[in-house]
Amino acid sequence: MKIDTPTQKHRSFTDAKQAVEYLVEIYEGATQFLADSFVSFTLGENDAFTRAFYPEIRIKVESHVRVDSRLSFGHVPFPGEYVTTITQPELFRYYLIDQIDLLLKSHEVPIEIGPSETPIPIHFALPIGADALSGADEERMRILRDYFDVPSLENTHDEIVNGEDWKYPDGSRPLASFTAQRVDYSLARLAHYTATKPKHYQNYVLFTNYQFYVDEFWKFAKEMINDENSGYTSFTVPGNAEYTKDGWQGTPAEKAPQMPAYHLKRKHGSGITLINIGVGPSNAKTITDHVAVLRPHVWLMLGHCAGLRNSQRLGDYVLAHAYMREDQVLDSDIPPWVPLPALSEVQRALENSVAEVTNFKGYELKRIMRTGTVASTDNRNWELSDVSGPVKRLNQARAVALDMESATIAANGFRFRVPYGTLLCVSDKPLHGELKLPGMASDFYKTQISQHLLIGIKTMEELREMPISELHSRKLRSFNETAFL
């Protein structure tokens, strides 16, 4: 059987914008070729194996000349040939321009753009994804693999971010943390889990496990869209319905997805995304595994927790400065003995926002907020069993709060080089007889949770004003790191 495939040449570039334009040209040509071929296949008109390839970025560095090492990214660690496969370059346009521009300035050698040797799976080439596949004749779909490449686990992995000495088939080292197929896999998962398209995601991401925050975010977003001076342009909700100053375009989803996402958008993705991840470390890992491929500038956990100190009140805030990991879901990817450092830039922004919203300053902040170790467990009902063991460990760790998601989100932030932070609200004190039961919420508690989301939003707005080079701390980068963030 013959193989039908488009052909493009490799070209050298010293201009990042022109390089990205060629990436877009190659990718769009390849995916359109596959989409057209798929239509012919469904009609029984295609008798050739059809293949197209992801575009790639390649650079060859031959000098040990010292680069500007003040940045923790934007340069390769030592001479050699480096490459990364790219998918959906239009979605990542501004990210790619920034990363390529830094690379060109750091090493003063051209980069090369062209087709890679990694085929694009037909599932990821079709604009409407699984809907198009499900509409094809069942008999034809049984022989799909005879005519097209399909997703392969060989190219869908986390070996780069997990610190493995992984290389491309030709021996080149990776320029970026994810292969193109790994990115495509996560983009498809995000659309499935959150019912919003990847193009709507913003660079500042809030995670929560409480529907009240979603309701408050919805109200805040509408106020911002109707404020001409806010800088926010639209608000997208599950179902990809979008609210602008002219009203709604589209219809919100009737049924909530597993982890609904809401996007308060600004120019160049500088707005805020809020995702209700539900309960548990498994959900926390799942969503951050996929959001990470979008390379956000920061993500924060705003959730509820069990207060472990008798001096705490329901509604007090806990600013995590360390994490005790008993969630277990990430142990094989990032062992529990790996320390998760507090990021000073994020910590300061969170503390400043608490002070601004609550009007407590300096020492007075201790009336409503404690800074300390947050423990995360995979057992929501841990207090129903013998608590002597857990309590001893919590005491040894000097933990001030316990939840199910924060350490997971922080660990995956560290693992994926995404700045992270946690601000929790005490909703129960099981060690002191105050359980999370209906009717136990005090007026103070209700006031605090109404302020909690606003604190998270103001934190993001403060971090947005910070240079990216400062926000992406060197604490998150290894000594043998990829050039791209």
Side-chain angles (χ1 to χ4, degrees):
M1 183 179 290
K2 67 176 182 178
I3 296 180
D4 193 10
T5 182
T7 57
Q8 285 120 339
K9 296 180 180 179
H10 282 71
R11 291 170 51 188
S12 294
F13 292 89
T14 56
D15 181 276
K17 291 182 179 179
Q18 293 176 6
V20 172
E21 287 296 339
Y22 193 47
L23 284 170
V24 171
E25 178 184 330
I26 293 174
Y27 178 79
E28 292 186 351
T31 51
Q32 186 61 57
F33 173 78
L34 288 172
D36 292 343
S37 299
F38 181 76
V39 172
S40 298
F41 166 77
T42 60
L43 297 174
E45 298 173 352
N46 186 359
D47 63 350
F49 187 93
T50 304
R51 169 174 285 170
F53 299 90
Y54 287 109
E56 69 178 14
I57 304 171
R58 186 176 291 269
I59 187 172
K60 188 174 183 179
V61 177
E62 298 179 337
S63 173
H64 283 277
V65 171
R66 183 178 178 83
V67 299
D68 185 350
S69 59
R70 289 174 296 179
L71 278 180
S72 62
F73 54 93
H75 46 79
V76 300
F78 39 76
E81 193 156 0
Y82 296 81
V83 66
T84 186
T85 49
I86 298 294
T87 188
Q88 300 204 32
E90 188 61 61
L91 175 65
F92 293 97
R93 176 180 289 272
Y94 297 107
Y95 166 80
L96 290 170
I97 289 173
D98 288 344
Q99 302 308 305
I100 292 172
D101 191 53
L102 284 171
L103 204 59
L104 291 169
K105 290 177 179 177
S106 292
H107 298 288
E108 298 182 340
V109 295
I111 63 164
E112 192 175 88
I113 305 294
S116 70
E117 296 182 356
T118 303
I120 304 175
I122 188 64
H123 303 69
F124 299 147
L126 302 176
I128 52 177
D131 290 340
L133 290 173
S134 63
D137 179 79
E138 184 176 345
E139 292 298 322
R140 296 295 290 169
M141 291 303 296
R142 288 177 180 173
I143 58 172
L144 183 69
R145 292 171 180 266
D146 293 336
Y147 291 86
F148 296 98
D149 291 291
V150 296
S152 167
L153 292 180
E154 291 182 5
N155 298 309
T156 311
H157 56 75
D158 283 332
E159 292 185 25
I160 303 171
V161 293
N162 286 349
E164 305 289 341
D165 189 24
W166 186 85
K167 297 182 180 66
Y168 281 89
D170 66 356
S172 299
R173 295 183 178 275
L175 264 177
S177 296
F178 303 102
T179 63
Q181 189 167 307
R182 169 66 170 83
V183 174
D184 267 335
Y185 169 75
S186 281
L187 296 181
R189 292 290 84 199
L190 282 175
H192 171 72
Y193 285 124
T194 70
T196 54
K197 295 179 180 179
K199 69 178 182 179
H200 298 303
Y201 278 78
Q202 303 296 287
N203 282 319
Y204 299 85
V205 182
L206 294 173
F207 298 111
T208 188
N209 53 13
Y210 193 28
Q211 179 62 33
F212 175 84
Y213 295 159
V214 173
D215 298 337
E216 290 295 302
F217 192 58
W218 194 304
K219 290 191 292 185
F220 176 84
K222 284 191 172 183
E223 292 175 4
M224 292 298 101
I225 299 306
N226 293 315
D227 179 356
E228 294 182 356
N229 299 317
S230 72
Y232 294 104
T233 57
S234 63
F235 180 56
T236 302
V237 303
N240 298 298
E242 195 156 20
Y243 180 80
T244 69
K245 60 183 178 61
D246 298 320
W248 283 100
Q249 300 172 13
T251 304
E254 292 184 6
K255 295 182 179 180
Q258 184 173 346
M259 289 181 271
Y262 305 82
H263 314 280
L264 181 54
K265 296 162 71 173
R266 283 172 59 101
K267 186 178 180 181
H268 294 174
S270 61
I272 301 170
T273 287
L274 173 73
I275 306 175
N276 184 354
I277 65 175
V279 176
S282 180
N283 276 7
K285 177 186 184 299
T286 296
I287 196 64
T288 49
D289 278 349
H290 301 313
V291 173
V293 305
L294 296 171
R295 309 315 295 142
H297 292 319
V298 64
W299 62 39
L300 301 178
M301 178 65 194
L302 299 179
H304 287 186
C305 65
L308 300 177
R309 306 295 175 91
N310 195 37
S311 58
Q312 293 171 306
R313 295 176 296 173
L314 302 189
D316 278 354
Y317 297 127
V318 174
L319 175 58
H321 76 175
Y323 300 88
M324 176 182 172
R325 293 174 51 201
E326 297 202 334
D327 51 80
Q328 302 185 58
V329 298
L330 275 166
D331 289 2
S332 62
D333 292 312
I334 177 169
W337 50 260
V338 174
L340 305 179
L343 304 180
S344 58
E345 299 82 4
V346 178
Q347 300 296 94
R348 286 197 301 269
L350 279 165
E351 187 167 339
N352 291 343
S353 297
V354 174
E356 179 182 350
V357 171
T358 64
N359 292 317
F360 285 105
K361 309 291 182 182
Y363 185 68
E364 290 297 303
L365 266 179
K366 291 183 179 292
R367 294 181 182 272
I368 58 165
M369 186 180 76
R370 302 295 168 88
T371 301
T373 298
V374 169
S376 289
T377 178
D378 60 353
N379 181 6
R380 174 61 187 87
N381 301 310
W382 64 277
E383 64 266 38
L384 299 182
S385 55
D386 180 5
V387 299
S388 58
V391 167
K392 180 179 180 180
R393 294 195 301 276
L394 292 168
N395 193 38
Q396 290 173 323
R398 310 297 190 265
V400 297
L402 178 74
D403 81 339
M404 297 189 70
E405 300 87 18
S406 294
T408 312
I409 288 172
N412 243 4
F414 184 82
R415 174 178 168 231
F416 290 128
R417 288 75 165 169
V418 177
Y420 53 85
T422 297
L423 183 71
L424 302 175
C425 186
V426 176
S427 60
D428 62 332
K429 295 168 56 183
L431 298 183
H432 308 285
E434 296 187 57
L435 305 180
K436 189 180 292 185
L437 297 173
M440 291 193 67
S442 64
D443 290 339
F444 174 73
Y445 173 73
K446 293 175 182 177
T447 298
Q448 294 301 93
I449 63 171
S450 68
Q451 294 178 335
H452 197 184
L453 176 68
L454 184 58
I455 292 169
I457 291 171
K458 288 189 174 295
T459 300
M460 291 305 203
E461 291 178 335
E462 179 173 331
L463 292 172
R464 185 169 62 216
E465 300 303 314
M466 183 179 298
I468 299 304
S469 58
E470 294 182 20
L471 183 55
H472 285 270
S473 171
R474 191 173 295 279
K475 294 176 184 177
L476 301 180
R477 312 288 286 177
S478 72
F479 50 79
N480 185 15
E481 193 58 78
T482 61
F484 287 8
L485 278 177

